[in-house]
Amino acid sequence: GAGDGKYIVYIGGAPKATSATAFSTGAYQHFAAVSDAGTIRIYQGGVQTGSGTNADSISGSSYSASWGGYGTGPAYPDGAYAIAGRIDESRITKGVCRYPNGTTFTPPAEFPDF
């Protein structure tokens, strides 16, 4: 697909950052994408693996967030580039960059299964 198993952040329909490494399979993984003063940073397992610049606003009613696939419409039918996996424990934080400046961090543990 478009990312060959890598994590890509799109803003305004354009790719802004891509992870350097692809998803691995069969295990819990922590991924984070943050907007840090015009820089988009992607983290895998608490380590920055990609970054890019973004001058576009990511606020307002004209933007929506989606996980696991890219786009809709004639060029990208629903489900295009969908991940072959599951997403759990998703979080959005408005107004705070949780992981600034490329700082390495210890990701939270996976929630237990019930």
Side-chain angles (χ1 to χ4, degrees):
D4 296 323
K6 296 178 182 177
Y7 189 85
I8 303 171
V9 174
Y10 283 83
I11 298 173
K16 299 295 182 172
T18 302
S19 64
T21 57
F23 290 94
S24 59
T25 59
Y28 168 78
Q29 296 174 75
H30 183 273
F31 285 85
V34 301
S35 177
D36 183 13
T39 299
I40 303 299
R41 300 182 193 282
I42 297 174
Y43 295 87
Q44 291 175 267
V47 177
Q48 183 179 316
T49 65
S51 67
T53 58
N54 177 50
D56 298 331
S57 172
I58 56 173
S59 64
S61 60
S62 62
Y63 286 94
S64 62
S66 63
W67 287 254
Y70 171 69
T72 59
Y76 299 99
D78 290 342
Y81 306 119
I83 64 167
R86 297 183 179 128
I87 297 173
D88 189 19
E89 303 166 31
S90 180
R91 173 183 179 178
I92 297 174
T93 304
K94 180 181 177 181
V96 175
C97 179
R98 294 277 170 202
Y99 314 115
N101 303 317
T103 304
T104 299
F105 62 93
T106 301
E110 176 182 17
F111 286 164
D113 292 333
F114 293 100

